[in-house]
Amino acid sequence: MNTDIKKDCIAIISGGMDSITLLYEYQKRIALAVSFDYGSNHNHREIPFAQYHCERLGIPHLVIPLDFMKRYFKSSLFDGDDAIPEGHYKNENIQSTVVPFRNGIMLSIAAGLAETHRLNYVMMANHGGDHDIYPDCSPAFVNAMSDALKAGTINGVRLLAPYTNLSKTDIAVHGKQLGVDYSMTWSCYRGGEKQCGRCATCLERRDALRAAGINDTTEYA
């Protein structure tokens, strides 16, 4: 009996903990990984990690520039290190890190790639901790976007978002079981020489690794 798993997915990979875990879990199904350089403070830090893991797994990797987003959209992710607020995601000022409809734009492009290559699925690694701050990570968005992609593509591309209802800690525990090296990932919104350890995504990273029992070897500023 042929037990080979068909490569039928395009995965959106940032270089952060969640998407790299997704890459390892679904590597046998991922025909192509794509990263988007949309001009954020930290794109130049995280994308090399996406490239590293794709090369390690032998998965073709594209980097697509979306520089128009920085020119026309408003977000503190575009405004330099000093614009990034400190503190956990529950703080109201973290809403400044929203990039308007970012996932919708990226998924639309990924769906076009999937249709071009006759692949059936697009994958993204949103998770449960994102829902309150980022509307384009919510279950309602995932369901609606999957319906839109299916209706708007010849081959009925669908969206897979398997971590939608998982916490960051759940993902870290899962990654530990998969043997993911989280020291080769980037989270920090500031994009400096080292991860700051104080912005919301750094704090979430530290908490998740600690809760998962993973030795955090990240060099923080």
Side-chain angles (χ1 to χ4, degrees):
M1 182 175 65
N2 186 356
T3 59
D4 291 343
I5 297 175
K6 180 182 178 181
K7 289 187 177 293
D8 58 357
C9 300
I10 284 181
I12 298 175
I13 305 296
S14 67
M17 287 178 60
D18 310 322
S19 66
I20 296 304
T21 304
L22 184 87
L23 187 74
Y24 277 82
E25 180 175 5
Y26 292 94
Q27 59 183 286
K28 292 182 179 180
R29 290 185 61 179
I30 297 172
L32 177 66
V34 58
S35 301
F36 295 98
D37 187 349
Y38 55 96
S40 75
N41 301 328
H42 62 300
N43 276 160
H44 71 290
R45 292 296 180 194
E46 61 181 357
I47 289 175
F49 286 119
Q51 293 172 324
Y52 166 82
H53 289 287
C54 287
E55 288 176 4
R56 187 171 185 268
L57 296 176
I59 296 172
H61 180 233
L62 294 178
V63 179
I64 297 179
L66 299 177
D67 56 304
F68 71 89
M69 296 177 73
K70 183 174 183 177
R71 295 202 307 271
Y72 299 116
F73 294 0
K74 179 64 178 175
S75 170
S76 61
L77 295 192
F78 300 141
D79 294 336
D81 294 358
D82 293 341
I84 301 299
E86 296 184 0
H88 286 87
Y89 277 110
K90 63 183 179 181
N91 297 344
E92 290 184 6
N93 61 350
I94 301 303
Q95 290 184 352
S96 73
T97 64
V98 171
V99 177
F101 206 58
R102 174 178 54 184
N103 284 339
I105 293 166
M106 294 178 181
L107 286 167
S108 297
I109 295 169
L113 287 170
E115 184 174 12
T116 297
H117 293 282
R118 292 296 187 266
L119 299 170
N120 297 325
Y121 299 97
V122 171
M123 304 188 76
M124 72 172 184
N126 61 307
H127 67 84
D130 293 334
H131 299 171
D132 292 339
I133 304 297
Y134 304 112
D136 59 354
C137 292
S138 69
F141 169 82
V142 168
N143 292 334
M145 198 69 185
S146 186
D147 288 343
L149 298 185
K150 183 178 179 181
T153 51
I154 291 172
N155 57 326
V157 174
R158 282 161 286 175
L159 173 58
L160 293 181
Y163 299 163
T164 297
N165 294 311
L166 299 184
S167 69
K168 191 84 164 188
T169 297
D170 293 333
I171 294 171
V173 169
H174 196 40
K176 182 180 180 180
Q177 295 168 344
L178 293 168
V180 177
D181 181 2
Y182 286 125
S183 70
M184 298 298 289
T185 61
W186 186 274
S187 298
C188 183
Y189 280 160
R190 288 197 162 95
E193 290 298 320
K194 297 180 180 179
Q195 304 194 58
C196 76
R198 302 184 306 279
C199 68
T201 188
C202 276
L203 293 173
E204 185 184 48
R205 175 192 182 94
R206 298 177 83 158
D207 291 346
L209 291 174
R210 185 184 305 112
I214 297 172
N215 181 31
D216 187 0
T217 59
T218 307
E219 287 191 53
Y220 296 104

